[in-house]
């Protein structure tokens, strides 16, 4: 089991926004489509997480499933890894003793239903509620990704995030059920003072 780590698994990036828009315009950031994407953390309550060192930072993800599975949110979220490359799936773990739901990337299939929001949702993002904490894991400090239920508090010291797909080229592995996903060309470049999010 591999937890998401800012340095190797996810590019965790703060999208810096100056202030809230004063007038309500129904304008949403433009998306492209791509088979593959990276997940970029957009910090929604306060900006602490900035760990994007190179263009290659972060895992490459894709949605795997038939057209029907994608439509009815029963596809899974995969990322290729290993030598030779094979699929790894994203899983939300059962709550631990502290009530935290950590996220893992395990070799094999992923958790059914993890995927991106779809039309008519105007924002393409990983479905679910996510937050990130600077925790000390077995291998040292890491910005850990966690999931929570609606209404659950975000622990002190952690930040609420949304995970936005940034279009990416693939890992090179042939995909069995590739599906086009709506993704952003440059998440960090989105000016959230201009765009609506709801
Ligand atoms: C991204 O973060 C900015 C500022 O922190 C916020 O205004 C915006 O609503 C967020 N976007 C999404 C889709 O969560
Ligand atoms: C991450 O950093 C690289 C190099 O500094 C930059 O080119 C790229 O646009 C950044 N990615 C995001 C999502 O900000
Ligand atoms: C990809 O989706 C197909 C179709 O549902 C499924 O048969 C296959 O097991 C999935 N592969 C992985 C690695 O999840
Ligand atoms: C996370 O915490 C460790 C140990 O307290 C610290 O060294 C590190 O700079 C922190 N990382 C971030 C991104 O805040
Ligand atoms: C929405 C979409 O692109 N669906 C495709 C997902 O993958 C299956 C299998 O390749 C295609 O049949 C769908 O058209």
């Amino acid at each position: 089991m591999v937890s998401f780590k800012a340095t190797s698994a996810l590019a965790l990036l703060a999208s810096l926004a100056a202030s809230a828009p004063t007038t309500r315009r129904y304008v949403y950031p433009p998306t492209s489509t791509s088979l593959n994407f990276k997940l970029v953390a957009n910090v929604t309550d306060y900006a602490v997480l900035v760990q994007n060192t190179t263009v290659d930072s972060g895992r490459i993800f894709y949605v795997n499933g038939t057209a029907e599975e994608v439509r009815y949110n029963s596809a899974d979220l995969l990322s290729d890894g290993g030598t030779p490359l094979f699929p790894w799936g994203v899983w939300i773990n059962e709550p631990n003793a502290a009530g935290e739901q950590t996220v893992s990337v395990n070799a094999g299939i992923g958790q059914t239903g993890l995927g991106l929001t779809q039309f008519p949702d105007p924002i393409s993002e990983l479905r679910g509620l996510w937050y990130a904490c600077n925790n000390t894991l077995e291998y040292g400090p890491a910005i850990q990704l966690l999931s929570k239920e609606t209404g659950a508090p975000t622990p002190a010291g952690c930040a609420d995030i949304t995970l936005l797909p940034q279009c990416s080229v693939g890992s090179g592995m042939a995909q069995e059920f590739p599906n086009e996903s709506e993704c952003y060309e440059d998440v960090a470049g989105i000016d959230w003072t201009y765009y609506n999010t709801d």
Side-chain angles (χ1 to χ4, degrees):
M1 282 209 310
V2 180
S3 293
F4 280 100
K5 271 200 305 177
T7 44
S8 65
L10 265 189
L12 283 171
L13 304 158
S15 152
L16 299 175
S19 58
T22 46
T23 53
R24 181 148 281 258
R25 291 161 304 210
Y26 288 90
V27 184
Y28 302 101
T31 53
S32 302
T33 57
S34 170
L35 293 178
N36 300 280
F37 49 86
K38 291 186 175 186
L39 287 169
V40 177
N42 186 50
V43 179
T44 49
D45 62 354
Y46 61 95
V48 282
L49 317 169
V50 184
Q51 298 236 344
N52 174 48
T53 44
T54 70
V55 181
D56 297 328
S57 303
R59 269 181 181 271
I60 295 165
F61 294 92
Y62 56 95
V63 172
N64 172 71
T66 63
E68 208 165 62
E69 287 167 337
V70 173
R71 181 73 197 100
Y72 294 104
N73 295 338
S74 59
D76 60 355
L77 182 64
L78 300 180
S79 175
D80 299 331
T83 318
L85 287 169
F86 54 93
W88 293 62
V90 180
W91 290 86
I92 298 174
N93 299 311
E94 291 299 317
N96 62 19
E100 299 166 335
Q101 288 180 273
T102 58
V103 179
S104 300
V105 187
N106 299 331
I109 62 168
Q111 181 172 332
T112 300
L114 269 183
L116 302 177
T117 53
Q118 300 181 64
F119 180 85
D121 193 317
I123 298 285
S124 181
E125 63 178 79
L126 188 62
R127 277 194 311 276
L129 288 177
W130 311 96
Y131 65 98
C133 307
N134 183 4
N135 286 341
T136 303
L137 305 178
E138 290 150 50
Y139 38 78
I143 306 296
Q144 191 177 17
L145 177 69
L146 297 109
S147 167
K148 64 175 194 171
E149 308 295 336
T150 308
T154 302
C158 301
D160 286 332
I161 59 175
T162 52
L163 290 165
L164 304 177
Q166 177 157 302
C167 306
S168 170
V169 293
S171 64
M173 182 175 162
Q175 297 172 13
E176 193 187 1
F177 286 95
N179 269 267
E180 293 274 332
S181 292
E182 298 266 328
C183 49
Y184 303 97
E185 291 297 343
D186 177 18
V187 167
I190 300 173
D191 176 1
W192 294 106
T193 61
Y194 181 77
Y195 293 114
N196 292 87
T197 52
D198 52 23

